[in-house]
């Protein structure tokens, strides 16, 4: 796989974002995209196998069951771009179905270099596939993909795993509208969305018994230690998952177990923590079935089909750019 990578200024941006997030008045915050370094991407793969985290299996079941149906609804010729592909495992069924019909160019877009490498290993054996990865943020990557488009070629964008849920609701609609803006009428977006379910099911999914999600979350502090030379003592922070009923989301936090000061030299920062104070690291918003179509319409898409999993409330939505 050919990969276009941007490496310059990544540490500088990381330091600046850590500084902004940890000096915020009120709730301290770290951006969820920084959860995915090499260790974080590997831990996310393990999370997707946990019995409590039914989301990935539901997404995978829907893609496996409906891959031919999805592909039959798409125009030809078509190229595929995937936002935050991760390992790309679930994408295999869609790509295999497409590659039976035409030679297919697949563009995974990822900020995690190790996830991008996993994706190549996972999918490069498919017949008639041509993979070109972009180590970029979602929209920067999609703009580059759009620039490679040949005359008459359509585009299918995949945004799976309910990663849309990491945006708050308004930001999610704005993001979909930005994606729509890069697309042309008739292009498609296959959007995975996790649906509302019981608090007990959600809390178990984001705070598993084995502690893998806790390690995934705490790795963000370890990453700051590794890359920004900080002195977070991981034994003095604890993973916390909680439901936010107002925003209908599950939030992940890192809670300080004592009063402490942490030094982050590369961000030119010393941060005070009170006992019990938290750093908010991720939100995962949950949706009603109808709400997803409403969001899609507001962003300029038509909701063509929704497939719902019968074991774990999750919707695969095929959206068409109007
Ligand atoms: C929740 S995981 C989902 C992975 C995969 N799509 C799945 O469904 O299992 C989110 C993925 O998006 C990537 N990611 C997060 N923020 C990103 C950003 N701003 N731009 C590009 N990729 C991003 C992460 O590295 C991670 O692999």
């Amino acid at each position: 796989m050919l990969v276009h990578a941007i490496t310059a200024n990544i540490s500088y941006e990381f330091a600046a974002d850590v500084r902004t997030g940890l000096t915020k008045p009120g709730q301290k915050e770290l951006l969820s995209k920084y959860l995915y370094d090499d260790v974080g991407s590997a831990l996310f793969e393990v999370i997707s196998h946990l019995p409590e985290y039914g989301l990935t299996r539901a997404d995978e079941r829907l893609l496996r069951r409906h891959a031919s149906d999805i592909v039959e609804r798409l125009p030809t010729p078509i190229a595929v771009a995937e936002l935050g592909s991760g390992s790309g495992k679930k994408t295999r069924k869609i790509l295999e179905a497409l590659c039976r019909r035409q030679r297919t160019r697949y563009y995974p877009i990822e900020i995690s270099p190790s996830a991008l490498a996993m994706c190549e290993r996972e999918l490069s054996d498919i017949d008639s596939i041509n993979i070109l990865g972009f180590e970029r943020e979602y929209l920067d990557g999609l703009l580059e993909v759009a620039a490679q488009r040949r005359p008459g070629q359509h585009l299918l964008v995949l945004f799976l795993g309910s990663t849309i849920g990491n945006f708050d609701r308004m930001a999610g609609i704005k993001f979909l509208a930005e994606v729509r803006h890069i697309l042309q009428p008739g292009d498609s977006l296959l959007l995975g969305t996790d649906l509302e379910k019981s608090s007990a099911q959600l809390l178990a999914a984001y705070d598993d018994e084995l502690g893998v999600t806790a390690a995934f979350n705490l790795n963000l502090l370890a990453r700051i230690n590794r890359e920004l030379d900080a002195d977070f003592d991981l034994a003095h922070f604890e993973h916390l998952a909680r439901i936010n009923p107002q925003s209908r989301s599950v939030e992940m936090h890192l809670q300080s177990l004592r009063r402490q000061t942490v030094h982050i030299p590369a961000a030119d920062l010393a941060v005070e923590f009170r006992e019990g104070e938290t750093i908010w690291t991720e939100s995962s918003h949950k949706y009603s079935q109808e709400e997803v179509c409403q969001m899609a319409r507001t962003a300029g898409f038509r909701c063509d089909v929704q497939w719902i999993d019968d074991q774990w409330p999750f919707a695969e939505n095929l959206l068409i750019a109007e």
Side-chain angles (χ1 to χ4, degrees):
M1 171 172 69
L2 200 59
V3 173
H4 289 277
I6 295 182
T7 43
N9 287 333
I10 290 207
S11 298
Y12 175 79
E13 255 182 64
F14 184 33
D17 286 342
V18 166
R19 191 183 163 79
T20 305
L22 294 184
T23 54
K24 263 195 160 171
Q27 177 67 64
K28 292 183 169 65
E29 192 179 326
L30 290 168
L31 299 179
S32 64
K33 65 179 181 178
Y34 291 118
L35 291 164
Y36 297 93
D37 65 346
D38 291 1
V39 178
S41 290
L43 286 170
F44 182 76
E45 268 308 292
V46 181
I47 290 172
S48 72
H49 291 280
L50 293 172
E52 295 95 330
Y53 195 77
L55 192 157
T56 307
R57 282 184 296 281
D59 200 0
E60 208 256 328
R61 264 191 304 274
L62 289 169
L63 294 171
R64 196 174 54 233
R65 275 183 200 159
H66 302 291
S68 317
D69 200 4
I70 293 168
V71 164
E72 269 170 28
R73 290 170 177 275
L74 302 173
T76 38
I78 195 162
V80 182
E82 179 160 12
L83 307 177
S85 62
S87 70
K89 273 188 194 143
K90 287 179 303 189
T91 313
R92 171 174 281 275
K93 291 293 163 199
I94 298 285
L95 292 175
E96 282 178 344
L98 261 177
C99 285
R100 279 195 288 274
R101 192 171 82 170
Q102 56 154 85
R103 181 157 195 90
T104 305
R105 174 57 75 96
Y106 168 59
Y107 304 95
I109 298 166
E110 254 299 335
I111 40 162
S112 162
S114 66
L116 208 50
M118 262 192 269
C119 186
E120 183 205 8
R121 282 197 299 276
E122 182 63 32
L123 300 172
S124 58
D125 66 332
I126 298 176
D127 278 345
S128 303
I129 198 162
N130 184 338
I131 305 179
L132 178 61
F134 285 99
E135 194 185 315
R136 297 279 196 282
E137 298 256 353
Y138 304 127
L139 296 176
D140 294 342
L142 193 56
L143 277 168
E144 297 213 31
V145 169
Q148 307 236 345
R149 199 192 259 263
R150 303 205 186 99
Q153 188 181 48
H154 298 272
L155 204 55
L156 165 67
V157 177
L158 306 174
F159 198 25
L160 305 177
S162 205
T163 308
I164 181 80
N166 295 154
F167 294 100
D168 69 37
R169 276 165 220 280
M170 289 312 292
I173 294 172
K174 183 167 172 275
F175 180 78
L176 292 179
E178 283 168 331
V179 170
R180 167 63 193 89
H181 190 68
I182 298 171
L183 299 183
Q184 291 176 3
D187 285 341
S188 319
L189 170 63
L190 188 65
L191 179 70
T193 47
D194 202 23
L195 301 179
E196 290 169 309
K197 47 186 67 64
S198 77
S199 298
Q201 220 176 350
L202 286 176
L203 286 174
Y206 290 86
D207 193 6
D208 62 279
E209 212 177 9
L210 203 55
V212 185
T213 314
F216 172 68
N217 199 8
L218 281 161
N219 174 57
L220 182 43
L221 303 185
R223 178 180 184 179
I224 298 174
N225 285 350
R226 285 190 297 269
E227 295 184 25
L228 304 180
D229 208 18
D231 60 1
F232 277 104
D233 183 338
L234 269 52
H236 297 154
F237 285 87
E238 191 170 72
H239 166 69
L240 194 69
R242 65 186 185 210
I243 306 282
N244 183 331
Q246 278 78 41
S247 60
R248 289 182 286 135
S249 65
V250 189
E251 293 181 355
M252 294 206 313
H253 290 254
L254 290 161
Q255 183 166 46
S256 174
L257 297 176
R258 52 159 72 177
R259 196 173 154 195
Q260 53 183 320
T261 305
V262 175
H263 304 92
I264 313 176
D268 194 20
L269 191 64
V271 201
E272 306 280 345
F273 289 92
R274 297 185 311 275
E275 183 179 343
E277 185 177 8
T278 72
I279 310 171
W280 175 27
T281 53
E282 191 189 72
S283 285
S284 298
H285 291 79
K286 304 299 164 186
Y287 305 94
S288 71
Q289 208 178 317
E290 172 48 29
E291 180 183 13
V292 179
C293 285
Q294 185 54 51
M295 285 169 67
R297 279 194 289 272
T298 310
F301 290 94
R302 170 170 63 79
C303 204
D304 189 23
V305 195
Q306 274 188 325
W307 293 274
I308 310 293
D309 187 55
D310 50 11
Q311 296 176 44
W312 175 277
F314 186 96
E316 208 73 74
N317 311 275
L318 183 61
L319 312 176
I320 311 295
E322 296 212 289

